[in-house]
Amino acid sequence: MKIYKNLFNEIISAENLFSAWDKFKNGKRNKRDVQLFEWNLEENIFKLQRDLKNKMYKHGDYHSFNIKDPKPRNIHKAQVRDRILHHAVFKILNPIFEAGFCSASFSCRVGYGTHKGVEYLQNILRKASKNGEVPCFALKCDIKKFFDTMDHNVLLNILKRKIKDDDTAWLLDNIISSFFSNYSVLGINKGVPIGNLTSQLFANIYLNELDKFMKQKLKVKYYIRYTDDFLVISGGKEYLENIIPRIADFLEDNLLLKIHGEKTKIQKTCQGVDFLGYVVFQKYKLVRTKTKKRIMKKFEARMHRYNQGFISKNSLLQSLQSYLGFLSHAKTYKIQCYFKNRFWFWLNE
């Protein structure tokens, strides 16, 4: 395993911090806090750099709010200078860890993502079933309160295997310890905030340990993961039943995580595998009924905002194009026709 040293100066260099600003500001320049930071951009960037260099930097507080997309989530938004630093850290560290990530992991990675994950699942369904000739089963697992229960010490120890740099370790500890969830007990801090760019990277680094266990120790042939949801495809139902306790033991003993018992189930793949908003079969995909209803509800809400003058016609059209793009990846002829007949031609008048 390659070891990395002297990363701190790369992370806090003016070039990297300004590059991080350029990446961060996209789509946010109408936000008041971003405008205030940009007003004295050079002064703010160089002050951030000095604070980091002199070890005076301390991560700021978070602004918390709730969203429902589709399930309720508590989002924690960091201050602008902290979010710029997150981008600076991500730019340097992500390539280092990306090289060691499993090819069956599809969350928050360039060139992977939702649609690639669904294509990968279809491919392994065809291989496992020999194009439908052999009956197969899918083990579907979910990690309980994953982002809330990621252990800070476990995460830092995983990071330090590759990064032998005290200054970078100090910075990573500063970012990680800036937040802890209600699952922290007796000085054992847990949780990373949904909303930080670094949290996406930390999640992949943390669960890459699970990926390696699945592929290298259990020798699972057909496996796929998206964040804390993962699947194993096999022709043997008994085999899948037998590996559940081994997976649960690994997660608890090594990562201090728990499988969500109620969401862990085995089903026949011929019934379709529910994954990433689609019901996936060997030769085609359907959009989940709940997902279709949510799309309809969200677009109706966008229409209402447009009619009230809160958003532009162009913004509404972009939303419609996004939904149609998602729907185009599955057998959704009727709902696509509904959208096009009701909204598309009117919006393009």
Side-chain angles (χ1 to χ4, degrees), residues 217-232:
K217 297 295 184 182
L218 292 187
K219 306 293 184 183
V220 171
K221 189 172 184 180
Y222 300 117
Y223 166 78
I224 181 171
R225 180 178 63 80
Y226 191 94
T227 313
D228 57 334
D229 292 319
F230 58 98
L231 295 167
V232 179

Side-chain angles (χ1 to χ4, degrees), residues 1-4 96 161-163:
M1 179 174 64
K2 186 174 180 180
I3 301 301
Y4 292 83
I96 291 172
R161 289 180 205 160
K162 273 185 175 286
I163 300 170

Side-chain angles (χ1 to χ4, degrees), residues 137-339:
F137 299 87
L139 167 62
K140 186 175 172 67
C141 297
D142 180 274
I143 296 172
K144 191 173 184 178
K145 299 291 182 182
F146 169 58
F147 282 96
D148 283 336
T149 59
M150 284 175 62
D151 186 271
H152 289 191
N153 286 331
V154 172
L155 174 58
L156 281 167
N157 287 334
I158 294 171
L159 289 165
K160 287 176 182 178
R161 289 180 205 160
K162 273 185 175 286
I163 300 170
K164 304 296 184 182
D165 177 348
D166 290 341
D167 292 332
T168 303
W170 165 81
L171 177 56
L172 293 173
D173 188 20
N174 201 315
I175 293 171
I176 293 167
S177 63
S178 68
F179 174 86
F180 57 88
S181 73
N182 294 330
Y183 290 84
S184 301
V185 289
L186 300 175
I188 301 173
N189 289 332
K190 293 179 179 289
V192 297
I194 299 174
N196 278 10
L197 178 63
T198 48
S199 295
Q200 299 174 9
L201 174 61
F202 293 155
N204 275 335
I205 291 170
Y206 206 91
L207 287 184
N208 190 51
E209 300 299 302
L210 171 64
D211 297 339
K212 290 189 291 186
F213 172 75
M214 298 295 285
K215 299 299 286 186
Q216 297 173 12
K217 297 295 184 182
L218 292 187
K219 306 293 184 183
V220 171
K221 189 172 184 180
Y222 300 117
Y223 166 78
I224 181 171
R225 180 178 63 80
Y226 191 94
T227 313
D228 57 334
D229 292 319
F230 58 98
L231 295 167
V232 179
I233 310 298
S234 173
K237 185 178 181 181
E238 186 177 350
Y239 164 77
L240 296 176
E241 291 171 341
N242 289 337
I243 66 171
I244 292 173
R246 295 186 66 185
I247 296 169
D249 288 345
F250 172 82
L251 288 170
E252 288 197 40
D253 295 344
N254 294 273
L255 301 178
L256 305 183
L257 299 172
K258 291 183 180 293
I259 279 186
H260 200 308
E262 295 177 5
K263 294 184 178 180
T264 298
K265 58 185 180 181
I266 298 173
Q267 65 180 89
K268 296 178 180 178
T269 59
C270 63
Q271 297 171 339
V273 181
D274 189 340
F275 194 59
L276 300 178
Y278 296 97
V279 180
V280 184
F281 296 84
Q282 296 163 29
K283 297 182 179 179
Y284 64 93
K285 304 181 286 288
L286 301 175
V287 174
R288 266 193 318 203
T289 301
K290 286 184 179 179
T291 304
K292 285 191 284 189
K293 288 180 178 179
R294 188 170 75 251
I295 287 174
M296 297 293 295
K297 186 177 179 180
K298 288 176 74 172
F299 193 75
E300 291 288 354
R302 295 285 289 172
M303 280 290 296
H304 182 65
R305 287 179 59 79
Y306 169 75
N307 291 331
Q308 290 183 319
F310 290 118
I311 62 173
S312 67
K313 184 176 181 178
N314 185 56
S315 177
L316 187 62
L317 181 59
Q318 287 177 348
S319 296
L320 177 58
Q321 290 171 328
S322 175
Y323 293 137
L324 288 173
F326 174 82
L327 294 168
S328 69
H329 290 271
K331 291 182 69 174
T332 53
Y333 177 76
K334 288 184 179 179
I335 190 172
Q336 287 191 63
C337 286
Y338 169 82
F339 269 111

